[in-house]
Amino acid sequence: MAYSREIYEEVQNKLYKKRMNALEELKFKKEVFYKRFPRAEKIEKELSLTAIEASKAVLSGGDTAAEIEKLKEKNKVLKNELFEILKSAKLPEDYLEIKYSCEKCHDEGFIDGKMCCCMKDMLKKESYNRLNKMSPLELSSFDNFSLDYYSKNFPDDKRSPYKRMSLIYNFCRKYANDFKKNSPSLLFTGRTGLGKTHLSLAIASEVINKGFAVIYGSSQSMVSKMEKERFQHYGENDGESEKHFINCDLLIIDDLGTEFMSSFSVAAIYNIINSRIMMNKSTIISTNLTMRELEKNYTERLISRMIGNNIRLEFLGEDIRQKKLKELVNK
Ligand SMILES: Nc1ncnc2c1ncn2[C@@H]1O[C@H](COP(=O)(O)OP(=O)(O)OP(=O)(O)O)[C@@H](O)[C@H]1O
Ligand SMILES: [Mg+2]
Ligand SMILES: [Zn+2]
């Protein structure tokens, strides 16, 4: 996948910092260790000298083989002595070696000119982080979702907000907890202020923590991003967000139907939802439009496919935004 230059630069920076940290850490470890075992420092110096002597021997000609053999032997004796010191200090044999966070590429990001999987991972994470930066992920969790806001006084169990929302809450917790790449898609419907965004964000945080690639955004912000990339000719950035919206493990489209409608927005949203249905990818959509309004905006065909592929959860209750405001005023 192609990423923008900024994302590459950020990742290269992070890799550079990792290498520097690894060096710093080793330097610090050595300082402490040498203070305790001054002999170890001498051995390390001698070891680097034998390496220089070995290359000199090669360059000088003469009886190179015998010379090298002698140096090898010296090297072995020194190393053994060092290992004994490490052992006496109950430290592992490789204690004085540099520790990279990726052993494969030594935090260079590349092995033999090919990109290492650690760098691919970092690029992906970096771009998802950028896409999620605008959302208040920390504010809405399962733990600060309270069922007390939903009325229990309903004669009809099916329409009891408290009963319905308890079911929805438990379902969402389990959904986040059990999330897999082909988990079903969900459709949250219901009036304003009932907790649709709150529960979507709670799911997003938990699924992100499980290591999945999650993108959360309002349909308006997604459309704006795609529009910018399409029409402002970002060059390398071309269509980057759209690809992520289509390819991430879980896409959460909040407030579907509130975006500024245009032929571009309808086609863009259609393309994302349809592509994800075809690839069996999980999408959570929330909306306070009715099914009829959705059909009017995005074509009957897409909405019927969407409903056929989604588990629909209909939120009930009274506007919690208002209730919270009243609580604040009455404090
Ligand atoms: N059960 C709940 N417990 C605690 N806070 C809640 C609960 N439900 C909603 N809230 C809070 O109330 C406010 C409105 O909720 P939210 O944004 O989730 O509503 P919504 O259903 O997405 O509304 P809209 O359709 O307008 O987008 C938020 O600040 C949210 O954190
Ligand atoms: Mg909302
Ligand atoms: Zn690597």
Side-chain angles (χ1 to χ4, degrees):
M1 178 156 333
Y3 296 94
S4 67
R5 194 189 320 129
E6 290 148 62
I7 291 177
Y8 270 106
E9 280 171 2
E10 182 61 32
V11 166
Q12 301 270 19
N13 249 334
K14 284 191 172 155
L15 283 166
Y16 174 76
K17 279 195 191 128
K18 281 185 178 192
R19 295 197 295 273
M20 290 303 118
N21 280 344
L23 275 171
E24 277 300 309
E25 206 174 290
L26 181 66
K27 208 175 127 206
F28 177 72
K29 257 165 58 179
K30 281 188 169 173
E31 260 168 37
V32 176
F33 187 72
Y34 292 158
K35 266 209 187 107
R36 260 181 84 195
F37 303 98
R39 173 67 191 146
E41 187 171 13
K42 292 217 173 76
I43 296 174
E44 287 244 295
K45 283 215 173 99
E46 279 184 53
L47 278 169
S48 51
L49 279 178
T50 48
I52 298 172
E53 281 172 43
S55 46
K56 270 191 196 151
V58 173
L59 290 174
S60 70
D63 190 359
T64 317
E67 193 66 12
I68 297 269
E69 212 37 57
K70 233 168 71 193
L71 286 170
K72 263 194 190 160
E73 192 49 38
K74 192 174 160 196
N75 202 305
K76 215 167 112 190
V77 174
L78 285 169
K79 273 198 170 149
N80 271 339
E81 194 188 342
L82 189 60
F83 286 158
E84 286 307 318
I85 298 177
L86 285 165
K87 218 158 96 190
S88 72
K90 295 203 164 49
L91 291 168
E93 281 189 1
D94 61 358
Y95 184 71
L96 296 174
E97 280 167 28
I98 192 158
K99 294 275 178 324
Y100 293 105
S101 54
C102 177
E103 284 302 328
K104 282 190 233 161
C105 69
H106 290 179
D107 299 337
E108 292 287 345
F110 287 90
I111 320 165
D112 301 331
K114 267 202 185 145
M115 196 187 288
C116 180
C117 49
C118 75
M119 182 163 173
K120 282 185 192 162
D121 249 34
M122 287 171 76
L123 284 167
K124 203 162 135 189
K125 287 228 173 83
E126 185 60 35
S127 60
Y128 290 139
N129 282 346
R130 279 170 190 238
L131 286 168
N132 283 326
K133 225 193 293 182
M134 304 308 288
S135 26
L137 277 178
E138 319 78 43
L139 299 179
S140 305
S141 67
F142 285 118
D143 291 333
N144 66 11
F145 187 88
S146 163
L147 287 166
D148 295 338
Y149 289 107
Y150 304 98
S151 162
K152 287 180 181 165
N153 304 327
F154 263 73
D156 169 10
D157 260 7
K158 258 189 143 175
R159 304 294 303 172
S160 151
Y162 180 80
K163 286 236 164 80
R164 169 74 60 83
M165 293 310 295
S166 307
L167 285 175
I168 290 182
Y169 173 75
N170 289 327
F171 177 91
C172 290
R173 264 208 116 129
K174 190 164 167 14
Y175 180 88
N177 192 50
D178 298 347
F179 186 83
K180 293 189 292 306
K181 279 198 177 172
N182 54 356
S183 282
S185 290
L186 309 178
L187 176 62
F188 292 174
T189 60
R191 288 203 303 270
T192 186
L194 298 184
K196 300 183 294 297
T197 297
H198 192 120
L199 281 182
S200 315
L201 288 170
I203 293 175
S205 313
E206 207 163 313
V207 176
I208 287 173
N209 287 341
K210 285 163 76 92
F212 289 99
V214 179
I215 296 177
Y216 164 90
S218 67
S219 58
Q220 177 60 57
S221 71
M222 290 183 190
V223 167
S224 306
K225 268 207 182 82
M226 289 185 283
E227 229 165 4
K228 249 194 192 156
E229 286 175 13
R230 177 73 54 94
F231 297 116
Q232 289 189 349
H233 294 296
Y234 265 50
E236 313 153 55
N237 247 357
D238 227 15
E240 187 187 303
S241 300
E242 186 183 26
K243 280 183 216 148
H244 290 311
F245 296 149
I246 291 177
N247 289 310
C248 63
D249 300 325
L250 174 62
L251 177 70
I252 302 179
I253 309 179
D254 203 0
D255 284 328
L256 182 69
T258 57
E259 71 277 12
F260 177 73
M261 293 284 166
S262 64
S263 53
F264 176 83
S265 73
V266 171
I269 291 282
Y270 185 102
N271 181 35
I272 292 172
I273 296 177
N274 197 42
S275 305
R276 293 185 65 88
I277 292 176
M278 309 245 272
M279 291 189 290
N280 231 341
K281 284 182 176 267
S282 322
T283 311
I284 297 177
I285 294 173
S286 64
T287 182
N288 44 41
L289 295 191
T290 62
M291 288 305 116
R292 184 148 318 139
E293 286 166 324
L294 284 176
E295 279 171 10
K296 213 175 100 212
N297 290 341
Y298 305 100
T299 76
E300 235 181 286
R301 203 171 129 248
L302 180 71
I303 301 309
S304 80
R305 286 191 83 178
M306 217 172 86
I307 292 170
N309 276 279
N310 284 38
I311 295 176
R312 181 172 165 196
L313 303 172
E314 203 186 335
F315 285 52
L316 291 179
E318 291 164 51
D319 192 344
I320 290 165
R321 220 175 262 127
Q322 292 297 327
K323 285 194 180 180
K324 283 195 157 174
L325 263 176
K326 275 188 202 145
E327 277 174 10
L328 267 178
V329 171
N330 293 333
K331 249 186 193 169

